[in-house]
C-alpha cells in the first residue's frame, strides 16, 4: 500500500490502475481455468495471492526504476510521523468498519427475523450495488495530490469548489448513467438473471443506489477531509449512521424483510449526506449550494428523460428475453449519450471528451 500511495502522490495513476486491472483480469481468468479443471478452494486462494504478489512486484520495480525511490528498512522511525500516522489510521479504520457495518450487518438481522430467502434477496442487491460502485467510483483517490497542492498554495475554497463541480459533473455522467440504467432496466434484468422469486432485490438495490447519486459525485470534498485531517468527524458520522441503520433494520425487517433493511440503509445514508454537506459548507467552507446548482440540478433532470422513455417502453412491452433486454439497454445508452452530449455538457467538457 505505501508503494501505491507513492504512485498516487506522483500522479502515476495510469500505471497503477493498469496494474490493478490486469491483476483482476488474470485473477478471474485463472479462477475460471481452475474451476473448469475441477481444482478446489485452495487453488482459488493461491491464484488471488499469486496475482496480487506479482502486481505488488511490478509496482515496486516501477517506483524503484522510474521514480528512483528506494526503501530503507534499517532507517530509524520518526516518532512524530508514527504518532500522526497512527492517529489518522485509527479514524480511517473506524470509517471503514462503520461503512461495512451499515450493509454487512443486514444479513444477520434478516437471518434472525426473516430467514434465508430474505438474505438471498438482499445479497443479490448488494452484489449489484457493489458492481455499480466499482464502475462509478473510477475517479476515487485520483485528486489527493491536486487538492493537496491547492491547500499548500493557499488557494481559496471557491477555486476548490470549481474543481469539485468539474469533477462532480463527470462523476455524475458516469454514476448517473449506471444508476438510472439500473432504475429503468434493473427489474427485468433481475427477473431474467435469478428468477421471479428475487424480484424484491430490485427495490432493495434502488434503495442502496439512490444515495450514490450524491456520494459518488463529492470526491473532491471527501478528499479535502483527508488533506485537512478532518477524518474524526467523518468517522463519528459513519458510526452514528451505522447505529441508525441497525436500529431501523431491526424495526423494519420483521415486517418488510429485505426491503425494510434497504429502506433503513437509505434513511441512514440520507441523514449522513445532510450532515456531511453541512460540514462541507460550514467547516470546509465549500460552496455546496453552487455545487448542486451547477451539477445535479442541471444534469439529473436531463438524464431522467431517457430513463422515463425506456421505463415507459418496458411497461408497454416488457423485455422478457435477453435479446429484448439488450436492445432496450442499447436504446437507453444511445439516448443517454445523446442527451448528455447535447444538453448537459458544456464546451470545456466537450473539448476534454474530444481528446479521447
Amino acid at each position: 500500500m505505501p508503494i501505491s500511495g507513492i504512485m498516487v502522490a506522483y500522479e502515476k495513476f495510469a500505471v497503477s490502475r493498469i496494474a490493478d486491472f490486469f491483476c483482476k483480469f488474470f485473477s478471474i481468468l485463472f479462477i475460471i481455468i481452475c474451476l473448469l479443471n475441477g481444482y478446489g478452494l485452495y487453488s482459488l486462494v493461491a491464484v488471488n495471492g499469486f496475482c496480487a504478489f506479482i502486481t505488488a512486484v511490478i509496482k515496486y520495480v516501477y517506483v524503484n526504476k522510474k521514480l528512483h525511490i528506494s526503501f530503507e528498512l534499517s532507517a530509524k522511525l520518526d516518532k512524530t510521523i508514527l504518532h500522526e500516522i497512527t492517529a489518522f489510521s485509527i479514524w480511517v479504520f473506524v470509517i471503514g468498519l462503520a461503512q461495512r457495518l451499515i450493509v454487512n450487518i443486514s444479513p444477520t438481522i434478516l437471518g434472525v427475523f426473516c430467514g434465508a430467502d430474505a438474505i438471498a434477496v438482499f445479497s443479490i442487491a448488494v452484489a449489484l450495488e457493489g458492481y455499480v460502485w466499482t464502475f462509478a467510483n473510477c475517479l476515487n483517490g485520483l485528486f489527493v495530490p491536486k487538492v493537496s497542492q491547492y491547500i499548500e498554495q493557499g488557494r481559496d475554497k471557491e477555486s476548490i469548489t470549481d474543481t469539485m463541480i468539474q469533477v462532480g459533473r463527470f462523476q455524475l455522467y458516469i454514476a448517473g448513467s449506471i444508476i438510472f440504467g439500473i432504475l429503468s432496466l434493473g427489474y427485468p434484468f433481475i427477473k431474467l438473471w435469478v428468477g421471479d422469486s428475487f424480484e424484491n432485490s430490485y427495490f432493495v438495490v434502488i434503495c442502496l443506489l439512490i444515495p450514490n447519486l450524491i456520494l459518488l459525485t463529492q470526491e473532491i470534498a471527501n478528499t479535502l477531509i483527508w488533506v485537512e485531517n478532518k477524518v474524526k468527524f467523518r468517522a463519528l458520522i459513519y458510526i452514528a449512521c451505522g447505529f441508525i441503520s441497525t436500529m431501523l433494520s431491526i424495526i423494519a425487517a420483521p415486517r418488510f424483510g429485505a426491503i425494510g433493511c434497504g429502506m433503513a440503509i437509505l434513511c441512514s445514508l440520507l441523514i449522513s449526506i445532510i450532515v456531511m454537506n453541512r460540514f462541507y459548507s460550514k467547516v470546509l467552507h465549500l460552496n455546496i449550494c453552487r455545487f448542486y446548482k451547477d451539477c445535479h440540478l442541471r444534469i439529473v433532470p436531463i438524464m431522467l428523460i431517457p430513463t422515463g422513455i425506456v421505463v415507459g417502453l418496458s411497461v408497454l412491452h416488457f423485455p422478457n428475453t435477453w435479446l429484448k433486454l439488450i436492445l432496450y439497454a442499447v436504446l437507453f445508452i444511445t439516448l443517454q449519450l445523446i442527451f448528455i452530449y447535447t444538453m448537459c455538457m458544456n464546451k470545456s467538457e466537450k473539448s476534454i471528451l474530444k481528446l479521447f
Side-chain angles (χ1 to χ4, degrees), residues 89-350:
S89 299
I90 288 174
W91 290 114
V92 172
F93 169 76
V94 171
I95 291 173
L97 187 65
Q99 285 177 321
R100 290 299 87 203
L101 180 67
I102 293 171
V103 175
N104 290 0
I105 200 171
S106 296
T108 303
I109 296 172
L110 290 171
V112 172
F113 294 104
C114 303
D117 290 343
I119 295 175
V121 168
F122 187 83
S123 297
I124 294 296
V126 171
L128 282 175
E129 191 272 340
Y131 297 145
V132 171
W133 189 90
T134 299
F135 282 105
N137 208 34
C138 59
L139 300 179
N140 182 37
L142 300 185
F143 295 93
V144 173
K146 185 66 66 179
V147 175
S148 299
Q149 290 172 17
Y150 284 169
I151 299 301
E152 196 69 26
Q153 294 167 3
R155 295 277 192 95
D156 61 272
K157 293 301 175 68
E158 283 299 318
S159 63
I160 298 179
T161 301
D162 292 337
T163 304
M164 182 179 177
I165 292 170
Q166 293 169 0
V167 175
R169 285 173 63 89
F170 272 109
Q171 288 179 307
L172 187 56
Y173 293 146
I174 299 170
S177 297
I178 297 172
I179 292 171
F180 288 128
I182 296 291
L183 180 65
S184 58
L185 296 172
Y187 186 74
F189 171 76
I190 288 174
K191 288 175 74 72
L192 287 170
W193 180 31
V194 288
D196 295 343
S197 59
F198 289 92
E199 61 183 15
N200 282 341
S201 296
Y202 169 76
F203 303 103
V204 179
V205 78
I206 293 303
C207 290
L208 299 180
L209 288 179
I210 287 175
N212 285 328
L213 280 172
I214 296 176
L215 293 173
L216 290 172
T217 61
Q218 295 187 325
E219 173 61 22
I220 296 299
N222 294 332
T223 301
L224 190 59
I225 288 178
W226 306 116
V227 172
E228 295 198 353
N229 197 14
K230 304 290 186 180
V231 291
K232 180 179 179 180
F233 181 82
R234 185 178 177 88
L236 294 175
I237 291 299
Y238 272 106
I239 291 173
C241 185
F243 177 78
I244 293 171
S245 175
T246 302
M247 293 299 102
L248 291 178
S249 295
I250 291 172
I251 295 171
R255 183 174 180 180
F256 300 104
I259 295 178
C261 285
M263 293 171 62
I265 293 172
L266 172 61
C267 291
S268 64
L269 289 178
L270 290 178
I271 292 172
S272 71
I273 287 171
I274 293 171
V275 176
M276 287 306 302
N277 275 268
R278 187 165 180 80
F279 177 81
Y280 297 150
S281 177
K282 299 298 182 181
V283 179
L284 300 184
H285 305 293
L286 296 172
N287 194 335
I288 296 300
C289 291
R290 185 161 69 89
F291 167 75
Y292 282 114
K293 178 183 175 182
D294 292 344
C295 192
H296 293 76
L297 291 180
R298 293 187 178 181
I299 296 175
V300 172
I302 303 300
M303 300 183 78
L304 284 173
I305 298 174
T307 304
I309 293 172
V310 174
V311 169
L313 289 174
S314 65
V315 170
L316 294 174
H317 302 284
F318 189 80
N320 52 6
T321 65
W322 284 109
L323 178 59
K324 290 182 180 179
L325 183 66
I326 292 172
L327 291 175
Y328 275 56
V330 171
L331 175 63
F332 173 81
I333 293 170
T334 303
L335 290 175
Q336 197 69 267
L337 290 175
I338 291 172
F339 275 84
I340 288 175
Y341 188 81
T342 59
M343 301 180 68
C344 294
M345 285 190 167
N346 53 41
K347 291 182 179 179
S348 63
E349 290 170 345
K350 290 179 180 179

